[in-house]
Amino acid sequence: MNQIKELEESISNLIFVDKEGNEFTPTKEQIEKMMPLCKKRSRPSYYKLRHASGLGEEYGFKNINMYSDDGKKMRRFESGL
């Protein structure tokens, strides 16, 4: 149960950024949409997390490059589950 609380906190600490540079934290609804993915996979990709939240391609995560330096692999979110 404590792991779930920590996971919610980790997801809520992510910051979405749009192409104009506007930043916002995930809403309660977006967090609830991302939780099942994190429960299903211990290391979901940031790409799939964004998709699960309901946001489109125009959004990214602040200070997180969703792809590896060579652009071939997707970076993973450590859910801790």
Side-chain angles (χ1 to χ4, degrees):
M1 196 66 174
N2 203 16
Q3 286 180 316
I4 301 294
K5 203 86 163 137
E6 289 175 15
L7 175 58
E8 277 185 33
E9 197 171 300
S10 294
I11 292 173
S12 66
N13 287 335
L14 292 172
I15 299 173
F16 289 113
V17 180
D18 65 13
K19 289 189 176 180
E20 287 82 46
N22 299 316
E23 302 176 3
F24 63 96
T25 55
T27 64
K28 183 100 172 120
E29 183 180 282
Q30 288 170 325
I31 292 170
E32 288 171 4
K33 288 179 179 178
M34 292 187 272
M35 289 292 287
L37 177 63
C38 292
K39 290 176 184 175
K40 184 177 176 185
R41 301 179 185 272
S42 63
R43 297 181 67 231
S45 69
Y46 282 100
Y47 180 87
K48 288 190 178 188
L49 260 185
R50 178 190 62 199
H51 182 73
S53 75
L55 295 176
E57 297 286 324
E58 65 274 14
Y59 292 92
F61 294 98
K62 183 178 180 181
N63 299 327
I64 297 170
N65 182 356
M66 287 197 280
Y67 298 95
S68 61
D69 295 335
D70 62 7
K72 294 182 180 176
K73 292 185 179 178
M74 291 187 207
R75 293 208 194 274
R76 305 270 173 191
F77 174 76
E78 298 289 339
S79 71
L81 296 180

